[in-house]
Amino acid sequence: MASAAISPDVLAKYEPVIGLEVHVQLLTATKIFCGCANRFGAEPNTNICPVCIGLPGALPVLNEKAIEFATLASLALNCEVRERSIFARKNYFYPDLPKGYQISQYDKPIAENGWIDVPTADGSMKRIGITRLHMEEDAGKSLHDGFSDSATRTYLDLNRCGTPLAEIVSEPDIRTPDEAFEYLTRLKEILLYTGVSDCNMEEGSLRCDANVSVRLKGAPKFGTKAEVKNVNSFRFIRAALEYEIERQIEVIESGGRVAQETRLYNANEGRTYSMRSKEQAHDYRYFPEPDLPPLIVSPELLSATSKKLPEMPEARRVRMIAEYELSEQDARTLTASREFADRFEAAAKTARNPRRVANLLLSEVAGRLKALDLEPEQSPVSMGGIVLAADLLDEGKISSKQLKQLLDVCFEKSEDFGTVYEREKPQQITDASALEKLIDEVIAANPKQVEQYRAGKKTMAGFFVGQVMRASKGQANPALLNELVAKKLEA
Ligand SMILES: [Zn+2]
């Protein structure tokens, strides 16, 4: 953590200003400008060709799927898509960039002016602007460790050269590390829903750099910003920002000036270190890429792509909360991934009572998964099994106690609900006279409750149903039991 030297009063005088730059690898089968496979984890330097490693004379050809994915992501992030955007060369030397330049977009990116709404501390929503989304190619990777001579040598793996990227730059609208965390969480969720990236941070498919500065509250101008790079989880980004904000306030409070620089976050130590002074855009000598024509996103392509946009996670939550009478938290659980939400809704539609499917999934099934530390995908009970259970419950063919017992068996034996139900076929007492006998006993044993019922407290019926159900060891047919209890109490 940062030094505890700054008092809360001093901290409160300042306002942080945060902007985020996120690089996402697009899930195309091949690279952005050549036919090499775009795949993580291949043997080093096997998915390369003259184009992606920049041999003289090799010419880039733009991957159509990459355009579609960049357009889809732009629309999902509420951006305006430019009909004619321009690729530019960003010139710099680094060993993992053998071409000596990166093909990117500069003053005419494919999309601009988008936004994401994020929840804030007081529960309201705040709109964070997205300045731009542009396309570019990834560089290769320098491998600094893992080899016997890593102390003296660096190895290069150029497989990643030419992987298609979308860079998404936010406006400096973010004011707290928590807002930054929420922005990233929502951004990732939206990108996953569109299917343009797997957003796997461990494999580097999603990477984030943060620009952060502080200023006195109410000051008209932004302070000097530092860029924090190479942070590999959203939690670490929040921690890095917390550290960096305090560090900058400390510098200013002690009479110093914040340097414009790039800093690296060390997660083990929980602090950032200066890496290099920050380069300016003009250092890169951007110029239009002479080997590529302007990128045209025609109105036809735009409208075809917009038809591929799925319902976005936030909108889906709002709809599902209304449709299935869910809490916000339950809606979040059900929409955690598009695939899961799709499976749930497809199944729920076939049930007599879709809300009951949601309830069973969120209570009985989720509870058992949690107890066993299993992911939803590892559940022995399929969505179809949950629908069957919900229908049987709805039709009164099993009691809720029997349902719980059947689910216990499913999880014990790792079997689906249908299999267990067919085998165990729980006994039900559907003989009215047998049930009436039990009801009479319960009524006789609880005169006070009978009095309350007859005095007008009709909800007391539930008490009697519960008592008789228990006396029948959960085997009473629920529908018949309800009917008979009402009849007996009214008699
Ligand atoms: Zn290639």
Side-chain angles (χ1 to χ4, degrees):
M1 280 323 299
S3 131
I6 320 173
S7 74
D9 291 354
V10 174
L11 278 179
K13 286 197 307 185
Y14 289 88
E15 175 183 62
V17 174
I18 301 164
L20 298 171
E21 292 173 13
V22 172
H23 286 87
V24 239
Q25 292 183 341
L26 301 176
L27 261 184
T28 53
T30 55
K31 293 184 181 181
I32 186 167
F33 299 123
C34 64
C36 292
N38 172 26
R39 194 155 44 84
F40 179 85
E43 276 295 297
N45 302 307
T46 52
N47 292 328
I48 53 174
C49 75
V51 174
C52 54
I53 62 170
L55 296 187
L59 289 172
V61 178
L62 181 58
N63 181 339
E64 219 174 292
K65 198 71 190 171
I67 307 173
E68 184 193 314
F69 280 172
T71 306
L72 195 58
S74 302
L75 292 172
L77 297 170
N78 309 297
C79 291
E80 295 157 16
V81 176
R82 197 187 283 272
E83 189 170 346
R84 185 174 188 274
S85 64
I86 304 291
F87 282 102
R89 281 193 189 182
K90 180 179 183 180
N91 297 283
Y92 68 95
F93 169 78
Y94 205 73
D96 62 18
L97 186 72
K99 283 202 296 208
Y101 63 88
Q102 177 190 27
I103 302 180
S104 180
Q105 294 189 308
Y106 182 48
D107 55 346
K108 291 190 175 59
I110 185 166
E112 290 168 294
N113 304 325
W115 46 264
I116 298 180
D117 285 335
V118 302
T120 58
D122 67 6
S124 62
M125 295 300 262
K126 174 175 172 181
R127 185 156 289 186
I128 309 293
I130 291 174
T131 315
R132 56 191 275 141
L133 180 152
H134 69 250
M135 298 177 72
E136 62 185 26
E137 60 180 333
D138 212 342
K141 250 196 247 177
S142 299
L143 308 172
H144 300 291
D145 39 43
F147 298 90
S148 57
D149 51 357
S150 280
T152 53
R153 284 170 199 270
T154 289
Y155 286 77
L156 289 173
D157 177 5
L158 300 180
N159 279 347
R160 203 175 68 176
C161 284
T163 295
L165 292 177
E167 179 174 341
I168 299 153
V169 182
S170 87
E171 287 287 302
D173 289 344
I174 299 165
R175 291 292 172 270
T176 67
D178 280 334
E179 276 177 30
F181 182 87
E182 287 294 340
Y183 169 87
L184 291 168
T185 305
R186 301 270 162 152
L187 173 63
K188 179 178 168 185
E189 188 180 59
I190 291 168
L191 293 170
L192 282 173
Y193 262 61
T194 59
V196 302
S197 174
D198 63 19
C199 296
N200 184 332
M201 291 189 84
E202 274 140 47
E203 295 181 358
S205 318
L206 188 153
R207 314 195 286 270
C208 177
D209 302 330
N211 288 299
V212 53
S213 63
V214 297
R215 62 176 168 186
L216 284 170
K217 275 186 184 149
K221 279 181 28 181
F222 291 154
T224 306
K225 66 185 178 188
E227 184 183 33
V228 184
K229 273 185 121 59
N230 286 10
V231 194
N232 59 12
S233 85
F234 294 169
R235 269 191 318 116
F236 286 160
I237 287 168
R238 181 162 56 188
L241 286 169
E242 279 163 4
Y243 172 85
E244 188 57 23
I245 288 163
E246 292 202 15
R247 185 192 69 81
Q248 292 186 13
I249 292 174
E250 226 169 31
V251 169
I252 296 168
E253 282 289 313
S254 61
R257 291 175 65 173
V258 174
Q260 174 153 340
E261 62 185 353
T262 299
R263 298 179 68 88
L264 287 183
Y265 179 67
N266 182 316
N268 293 326
E269 298 174 30
R271 54 167 296 181
T272 62
Y273 286 96
S274 178
M275 180 171 87
R276 57 169 190 249
S277 68
K278 171 89 179 122
E279 50 296 288
Q280 308 271 339
H282 61 249
D283 295 330
Y284 290 116
R285 301 290 191 277
Y286 280 99
F287 65 84
E289 166 59 52
D291 291 337
L292 284 168
L295 163 57
I296 307 294
V297 178
S298 66
E300 294 74 34
L301 176 62
L302 196 60
S303 98
T305 309
S306 67
K307 290 196 183 84
K308 291 181 187 163
L309 265 187
E311 184 180 24
M312 286 295 119
E314 186 60 28
R316 187 168 198 171
R317 274 193 286 276
V318 170
R319 176 179 61 73
M320 284 174 62
I321 284 170
E323 212 169 311
Y324 303 98
E325 292 176 12
L326 302 172
S327 68
E328 170 78 30
Q329 185 50 48
D330 286 346
R332 289 204 76 85
T333 306
L334 289 178
T335 56
S337 81
R338 178 182 165 193
E339 191 269 340
F340 187 73
D342 285 350
R343 277 200 295 129
F344 160 71
E345 289 209 277
K349 260 192 212 114
T350 66
R352 292 165 56 103
N353 181 347
R355 264 177 238 142
R356 205 190 275 283
V357 177
N359 285 339
L360 284 184
L361 183 58
L362 291 163
S363 57
E364 298 299 335
V365 176
R368 285 172 175 77
L369 288 172
K370 200 172 166 214
L372 293 170
D373 206 15
L374 294 176
E375 295 298 317
E377 297 75 38
Q378 298 169 296
S379 174
V381 180
S382 66
M383 287 289 182
I386 297 171
V387 169
L388 174 63
D391 283 353
L392 289 168
L393 209 53
D394 215 55
E395 293 167 288
K397 289 186 176 156
I398 54 170
S399 67
S400 51
K401 180 164 185 200
Q402 288 172 328
L403 169 83
K404 285 176 203 279
Q405 289 165 342
L406 292 170
L407 284 174
D408 284 341
V409 176
C410 293
F411 278 81
E412 266 163 40
K413 303 200 164 168
S414 202
E415 289 174 331
D416 203 350
F417 186 83
T419 314
V420 174
Y421 174 73
E422 283 306 317
R423 187 179 61 229
E424 314 257 320
K425 272 285 164 60
Q427 292 293 312
Q428 270 214 332
I429 305 173
T430 49
D431 172 3
S433 61
L435 284 180
E436 279 170 341
K437 195 166 153 267
L438 290 172
I439 296 169
D440 286 340
E441 284 168 19
V442 171
I443 284 181
N446 296 284
K448 230 194 236 151
Q449 283 81 353
V450 176
E451 213 171 283
Q452 287 175 346
Y453 179 88
R454 291 187 176 147
K457 200 175 173 197
K458 298 294 176 196
T459 49
M460 258 308 154
F463 165 79
F464 289 98
V465 169
Q467 292 294 311
V468 178
M469 188 57 94
R470 186 188 294 178
S472 76
K473 299 192 172 60
Q475 294 180 354
N477 175 289
L480 183 61
L481 175 59
N482 275 309
E483 188 192 313
L484 292 175
V485 163
K487 210 161 81 187
K488 285 274 181 190
L489 287 171
E490 295 293 341

